[in-house]
């Protein structure tokens, strides 16, 4: 027997089946929203994982193409590695839930979400967020939930709760908010320059709906929830901290930690670690716990000094941004490049432009998202943090950072009609000490302008941090956090935007939620900081998009034709379009709407290709004067090719003003000639003249 529960949520029915499937998981919920169905499960290992000093949580969001009635692509016809969209969903589930598990829990935990069916009006990502929370809550795994998530869109200034995919494509806001019973615990947003006030309103509208969902979950947990199991705590004994403080007093730790330079700080801590290892050399149990104990000691020291004395590790004021540097055109021959540096965080960004045929094709469950024209990719090599670590491709963090910077710039990009290019922006991390994703946003903005992409407005980003005390009123918001403040603090609140409004938000926290006062202060601080960055350094490097593209960038001409003429341009087996490309050197792409994109480096070649295409699709009319090529000679006249799909005939009597005995006396095959259309007969044959007396006095049409 299984139990089923339902509630009305944003105009649709949310139904939860408990006990219907996955009886051997620690907890499982079969979630239904409209006709979207997701199986969410929570499983945990029986024992802690040996040798780890962190909570080993894994989150999986599995997209199955059968959910939308399709075969997977590729030779094997089987789902392979997860798409970027699935990885981003993994992250948005992980971020609000991880802080709610015990910090000293070392058992492996897997939150798995299997998408079984998709209704385009009901988000499977949202259902997976809700299902993961509920599965953990009803399981015997220790979890301080529930938490709930809501998505918000905005069309014509009106908020839409849990919008469908069609509404998302027209929305000026794509916001996801996760909440605990009384606080916001996660924010993810992409926005079309939404004001701070409007964004805060949307966040707390979602927070209110989350409370209704949590109430619904409470009733399910009361009936179906298992007793939480006991576990072996991996916390550091207080007696060990006392022994460490005797060897390394707090003042000595403060002196080691509070250094401007990251490398200097690491060297200071290495000296202290060696001192403690020597002191505990004969105590194997203490030695095994020493690395984590030193980390905790350092963390407590940093937090205490920031919160009580308002002293940051590098000596900055609470609202002070690290030294800024910006420049463009570092790399030759690329289409656009820029460098942005903030303290010891440095990003090199390179922009590449390409024809629209290079857009990324997207295979996924969202029928409204089939391609991406703008790509922002982020790389984080080992050398950026002084590690001898080979690259093995982008991980989930890299994909997440790239997606955040991508959302930040999307609202200011020109339309396809105004700028018919595919755009790739790549951020290479040169040095990292906190908030490289926000540096990537700034570097990308300048790189796009340097490449001549006519973005509407400048975009910048900043990250704010947080250190909390014993109560909700005891906290300190930090502007522009560096790595140490991120590791030891409670929040990483990233905000990007223009002067007028917000374009993206990503909020990660390590505590059980934020009060409204903290959220509002972080958004206000971020607004002030991004204006300072734009005015203080970015504008001095490049103030506006360049009017011309790089000489190495492809030039593109677009041409709209009647879709019924597409076959004429392509020709049998592509013979016509390939012939034009061979003759001109231009790359030609055509879509089903009749939009033709002609690209290449030489503008004259593009114009020639355009002229040929126009001659193919435009109907020939009597009286027109055209240029053509002699392609065949008969006794009675010469055939002239006017376009790849149109030939006309010049009768021998129309070759010259006087009498012509032989056609070859006037023209040869391959000659370029100018002709006038005399008539088009009932059979569609085109009759031409080359006689100067017929051509004189007429302008070319």
């Amino acid at each position: 027997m299984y139990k089923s529960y339902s509630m009305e949520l944003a105009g649709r029915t949310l139904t939860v089946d408990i006990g219907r499937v996955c009886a051997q998981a620690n907890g499982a919920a079969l979630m239904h929203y409209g006709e979207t169905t997701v199986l969410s499960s929570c499983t945990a290992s029986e024992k802690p994982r040996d040798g780890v000093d962190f909570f080993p949580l894994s989150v999986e969001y599995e997209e199955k193409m059968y959910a939308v009635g399709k075969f997977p692509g590729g030779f094997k016809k089987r789902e392979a590695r997860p798409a970027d969209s699935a990885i981003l969903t993994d992250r948005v589930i992980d971020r609000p839930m991880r802080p709610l598990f015990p910090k000293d829990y070392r058992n492996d935990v897997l939150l798995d979400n299997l998408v079984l069916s998709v209704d385009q009006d009901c988000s499977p990502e949202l259902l997976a967020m809700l299902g993961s929370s509920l599965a953990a809550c009803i399981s015997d795994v220790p979890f301080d939930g529930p938490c709930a998530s809501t998505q918000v869109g905005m069309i014509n200034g009106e908020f839409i709760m849990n919008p469908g995919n069609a509404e998302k494509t027209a929305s000026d806001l794509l916001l996801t908010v996760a909440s605990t019973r009384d606080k916001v615990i996660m924010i993810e947003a992409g926005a079309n320059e939404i004001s701070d006030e409007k964004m805060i309103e949307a966040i707390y509208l979602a927070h209110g709906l989350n409370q209704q969902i949590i109430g619904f979950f409470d009733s399910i947990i009361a009936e179906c929830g298992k007793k939480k199991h006991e576990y072996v705590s991996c916390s550091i004994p207080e007696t060990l901290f006392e022994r460490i403080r005797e060897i390394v007093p707090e003042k000595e730790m403060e002196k080691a930690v509070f250094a401007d330079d990251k490398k200097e700080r690491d060297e200071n801590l290495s000296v202290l670690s060696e001192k403690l290892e020597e002191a505990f050399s004969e105590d194997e149990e203490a030695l095994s716990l020493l690395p984590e104990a030193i980390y905790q000691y350092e963390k407590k020291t940093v937090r205490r000094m920031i919160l009580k004395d308002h002293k940051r590790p590098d000596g900055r004021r609470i609202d002070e941004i690290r030294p800024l540097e910006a420049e463009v055109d570092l790399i030759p021959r690329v289409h656009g490049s820029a460098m942005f540096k903030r303290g010891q965080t440095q990003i090199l960004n390179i922009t590449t432009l390409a024809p629209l045929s290079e857009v990324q094709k997207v295979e996924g469950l969202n029928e409204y998202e089939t391609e991406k024209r703008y790509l922002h990719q982020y790389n984080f090599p080992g050398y950026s943090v002084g590690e001898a670590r080979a690259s093995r491709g982008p991980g989930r963090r890299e994909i997440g950072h790239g997606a955040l910077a991508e959302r930040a710039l999307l609202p200011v990009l020109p339309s396809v009609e105004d700028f018919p290019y595919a755009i790739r922006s790549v951020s290479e991390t040169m040095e990292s000490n906190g908030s490289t994703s926000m540096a990537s946003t700034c570097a990308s903005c300048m790189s796009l302008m340097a490449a001549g992409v006519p973005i509407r407005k400048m975009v910048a980003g900043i990250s704010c941090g947080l250190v909390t005390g014993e109560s909700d009123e005891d906290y300190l918001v930090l502007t522009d956090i560096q790595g140490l403040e991120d590791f030891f603090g409670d929040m990483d609140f990233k905000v990007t935007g223009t002067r007028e409004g917000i374009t993206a938000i990503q909020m990660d926290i390590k505590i059980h939620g934020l009060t409204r006062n903290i959220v509002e202060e972080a958004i206000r601080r971020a607004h002030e900081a991004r204006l300072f960055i734009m005015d203080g350094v970015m504008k001095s490097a490049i103030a506006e998009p360049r009017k011309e593209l790089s000489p190495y960038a492809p030039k593109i001409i677009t041409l709209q034709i009647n879709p019924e003429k597409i076959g004429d341009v392509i020709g049998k087996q592509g013979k016509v379009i390939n012939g034009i490309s061979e003759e001109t050197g231009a790359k030609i792409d055509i879509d089903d709407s009749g939009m033709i994109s002609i690209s290449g480096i030489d503008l004259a070649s593009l114009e020639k290709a355009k002229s040929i295409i126009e001659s193919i699709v435009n109907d020939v009319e009597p009286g027109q004067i055209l240029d053509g090529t002699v392609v065949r000679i008969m006794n009675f006249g010469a055939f002239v090719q006017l376009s790849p799909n149109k030939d006309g005939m010049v009768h021998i009597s129309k070759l010259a003003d006087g009498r012509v005995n032989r056609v070859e006396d006037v023209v040869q095959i391959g000659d370029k000639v100018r002709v006038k259309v005399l008539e088009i007969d009932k059979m569609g044959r085109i009759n031409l003249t080359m006689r100067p007396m017929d051509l004189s006095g007429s302008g070319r049409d």
Side-chain angles (χ1 to χ4, degrees):
M1 295 294 292
Y2 69 90
K3 295 184 177 181
S4 185
Y5 305 84
S6 295
M7 73 170 288
E8 291 303 305
L9 179 62
R12 308 172 186 92
T13 301
L14 173 66
T15 300
V16 179
D17 295 337
I18 306 294
R20 190 172 192 178
V21 292
C22 291
Q24 296 191 47
N26 295 66
L30 189 61
M31 310 290 293
H32 311 272
Y33 193 36
E35 293 186 340
T36 294
T37 304
V38 175
L39 171 61
S40 298
S41 61
C42 174
T43 51
S45 61
E46 293 184 3
K47 297 179 181 180
R49 190 198 296 186
D50 292 333
V52 300
D53 57 0
F54 60 91
F55 168 45
L57 172 67
S58 299
V59 180
E60 298 293 337
Y61 175 78
E62 301 181 65
E63 293 183 326
K64 300 295 185 179
M65 293 307 292
Y66 57 65
V68 288
K70 294 181 181 178
F71 268 41
F75 179 76
K76 292 184 178 180
K77 298 301 178 186
R78 185 183 183 97
E79 289 85 1
R81 70 178 299 276
D84 286 0
S85 58
I87 290 172
L88 297 174
T89 302
D90 292 336
R91 287 171 55 83
V92 87
I93 294 170
D94 183 300
R95 297 210 312 271
M97 292 191 64
R98 186 177 290 272
L100 302 180
F101 288 94
K103 292 182 180 179
D104 58 345
Y105 192 52
R106 297 294 180 264
N107 297 46
D108 283 282
V109 174
L110 172 64
L111 300 174
D112 191 87
N113 298 276
L114 177 62
V115 182
L116 297 169
S117 69
V118 174
D119 172 352
Q120 296 296 322
D121 288 332
C122 300
S123 166
E125 297 88 353
L126 173 68
L127 206 54
M129 296 176 217
L130 297 175
S132 293
S133 172
L134 184 57
C137 286
I138 63 175
S139 75
D140 60 344
V141 178
F143 178 71
D144 191 13
C147 60
S149 299
T150 291
Q151 296 177 330
V152 184
M154 188 178 76
I155 299 177
N156 297 325
E158 298 294 325
F159 292 126
I160 301 170
M161 310 307 289
N162 296 340
N165 287 333
E167 292 170 317
K168 288 178 181 178
T169 61
S171 179
D172 288 321
L173 173 67
L174 296 175
L175 168 69
T176 301
V177 177
S179 308
T180 58
R181 295 186 194 281
D182 53 1
K183 295 179 181 177
V184 170
I185 196 168
M186 192 277 299
I187 301 170
E188 181 102 3
N192 188 11
E193 294 186 276
I194 300 296
S195 69
D196 293 359
E197 296 75 19
K198 199 74 173 177
M199 182 65 76
I200 292 168
E201 181 184 353
I203 289 169
Y204 282 92
L205 189 64
H207 178 65
L209 187 55
N210 283 339
Q211 301 315 302
Q212 298 178 33
I213 300 170
I214 288 172
F216 173 59
F217 283 180
D218 282 339
S219 64
I220 300 174
I221 297 164
E223 290 191 31
C224 304
K226 300 176 184 178
K227 181 181 178 181
K228 301 300 182 182
H229 66 233
E230 300 293 329
Y231 67 94
V232 178
S233 173
C234 295
S235 60
I236 305 298
E238 184 58 35
T239 54
L240 179 58
F241 280 123
E242 292 174 359
R243 293 171 63 188
I244 290 173
R245 280 192 288 266
E246 290 175 0
I247 301 166
V248 178
E250 290 182 350
K251 290 294 183 183
E252 191 172 346
M253 177 58 82
E254 290 174 12
K255 185 177 179 181
V257 170
F258 283 75
D260 290 350
D261 187 76
K262 179 177 180 287
K263 186 174 290 187
E264 179 186 348
R265 183 166 57 245
D266 290 344
E267 290 173 355
N268 294 344
L269 291 168
S270 180
V271 170
L272 294 187
S273 296
E274 291 174 3
K275 180 178 179 181
L276 289 167
E277 287 169 3
E278 183 178 348
F280 290 99
S281 60
E282 298 181 2
D283 188 339
E284 291 187 5
E285 182 180 356
L287 274 176
S288 66
L289 298 174
L290 199 55
E292 177 65 13
I294 295 172
Y295 174 85
Q296 293 291 339
Y297 189 12
E298 182 188 2
K299 179 177 181 178
K300 291 177 181 178
T301 302
V302 170
R303 291 175 62 85
R304 184 186 69 252
M305 294 295 287
I306 290 175
L307 191 59
K308 302 303 180 185
D309 300 335
H310 291 196
K311 183 179 179 182
R312 300 176 73 169
D314 56 4
R316 281 182 292 145
R317 299 187 309 275
I318 297 306
D319 61 352
E320 184 178 353
I321 297 173
R322 288 172 287 175
L324 301 170
E325 297 177 24
E327 57 181 309
V328 296
D329 303 330
L330 289 82
I331 311 299
R333 300 189 72 87
V334 300
H335 302 164
S337 65
M339 182 91 82
F340 182 84
K341 185 173 183 181
R342 188 178 58 247
Q344 290 180 294
T345 291
Q346 185 181 39
I347 295 290
L348 170 65
N349 188 276
I350 296 171
T351 295
T352 307
L353 306 178
L356 291 172
S357 58
E358 296 295 328
V359 298
Q360 183 182 32
K361 304 301 181 184
V362 177
E363 182 183 59
L365 304 183
N366 185 346
E367 295 179 355
Y368 293 87
E369 185 179 17
T370 58
E371 62 183 32
K372 287 178 66 176
R373 172 202 176 204
Y374 174 61
L375 308 174
H376 188 119
Q377 296 165 346
Y378 166 97
N379 297 312
F380 189 81
Y383 58 73
S384 66
V385 287
E387 295 178 0
R389 167 171 51 84
S391 174
R392 294 291 183 266
R396 293 188 174 192
R397 177 181 177 275
E398 285 85 351
I399 290 171
H401 277 24
L404 176 59
E406 185 174 289
R407 285 198 304 273
L409 273 299
L410 271 173
V412 300
L413 292 178
S415 67
V416 173
E417 292 75 22
D418 292 336
F419 194 71
Y421 286 85
I423 307 165
R424 181 178 183 236
S425 179
V426 180
S427 291
E428 303 286 0
T429 306
M430 300 286 104
E431 185 179 9
S432 174
N433 187 18
S435 197
T436 49
S437 62
M438 296 295 91
S440 296
T441 299
C442 299
S444 177
C445 177
M446 295 190 297
S447 178
L448 289 168
M449 291 194 291
V453 179
I455 61 173
R456 294 188 300 105
K457 297 176 183 178
M458 186 175 283
V459 175
I462 199 69
S463 181
C464 292
L466 175 73
V467 178
T468 56
E470 298 298 323
S471 68
D472 287 345
E473 288 72 35
D474 187 16
Y475 68 87
L476 200 64
V477 175
L478 307 174
T479 299
D480 180 25
I481 55 173
Q482 59 174 308
L484 195 69
E485 295 165 334
D486 185 6
F487 301 148
F488 295 156
D490 297 319
M491 175 181 78
D492 184 2
F493 200 129
K494 305 181 183 79
V495 184
T496 71
T498 64
R499 299 189 71 87
E500 285 71 28
I502 294 170
T503 59
I505 294 179
Q506 186 179 93
M507 186 190 84
D508 302 327
I509 64 172
K510 302 169 188 174
I511 54 178
H512 283 42
L514 303 180
T515 63
R516 182 162 183 157
N517 287 341
I518 294 174
V519 172
E520 291 182 352
E521 182 173 351
I523 289 177
R524 176 183 60 79
R525 288 274 197 92
H527 187 110
E528 295 170 352
R530 71 174 183 265
L531 296 187
F532 177 81
I533 292 169
M534 285 189 282
D535 294 339
V537 66
M538 291 175 65
K539 283 187 176 180
S540 62
I542 183 167
E544 61 182 16
R546 290 191 171 132
K547 304 303 181 185
E548 296 184 357
L549 302 182
S550 160
Y552 302 106
K555 312 301 184 292
I556 296 177
I557 295 175
T558 58
L559 176 65
Q560 179 67 52
I561 67 169
N562 186 335
E564 295 179 359
K565 300 282 189 177
I566 292 175
D568 295 338
V569 176
I570 295 174
K572 187 177 181 180
Q573 297 180 334
K575 184 178 180 180
V576 174
I577 197 169
N578 291 336
I580 300 171
S581 292
E582 290 174 8
E583 181 180 347
T584 64
K587 187 177 187 300
I588 303 169
D589 298 295
I590 185 168
D591 64 22
D592 293 340
S593 71
M595 177 61 70
I596 297 177
S597 174
I598 308 167
S599 59
I601 299 299
D602 180 39
L603 192 58
S605 297
L606 308 191
E607 292 289 354
K608 182 178 180 181
K610 179 183 178 183
S611 177
I612 294 172
I613 293 171
E614 288 176 333
S615 71
I616 294 172
V617 300
N618 292 337
D619 294 328
V620 174
E621 297 179 0
Q624 279 186 305
I625 295 178
L626 305 168
D627 292 324
T629 303
V630 178
V631 293
R632 189 156 52 104
I633 291 177
M634 305 295 287
N635 291 333
F636 53 82
F639 286 87
V640 177
Q641 185 182 67
L642 305 176
S643 71
N645 68 338
K646 292 189 185 77
D647 288 351
M649 195 269 290
V650 183
H651 190 269
I652 190 171
S653 64
K654 304 296 184 184
L655 287 171
D657 287 340
R659 178 181 174 83
V660 176
N661 294 318
R662 294 173 64 250
V663 174
E664 292 87 341
D665 292 341
V666 180
V667 294
Q668 301 291 328
I669 292 177
D671 285 354
K672 305 294 183 182
V673 296
R674 177 157 291 188
V675 297
K676 181 176 182 179
V677 180
L678 290 176
E679 65 171 350
I680 302 170
D681 65 21
K682 294 179 180 180
M683 297 182 67
R685 292 175 299 196
I686 304 171
N687 294 319
L688 308 170
T689 178
M690 284 177 51
R691 295 190 305 182
M693 60 184 297
D694 294 330
L695 296 172
S696 65
S698 300
R700 189 176 181 188
D701 193 359

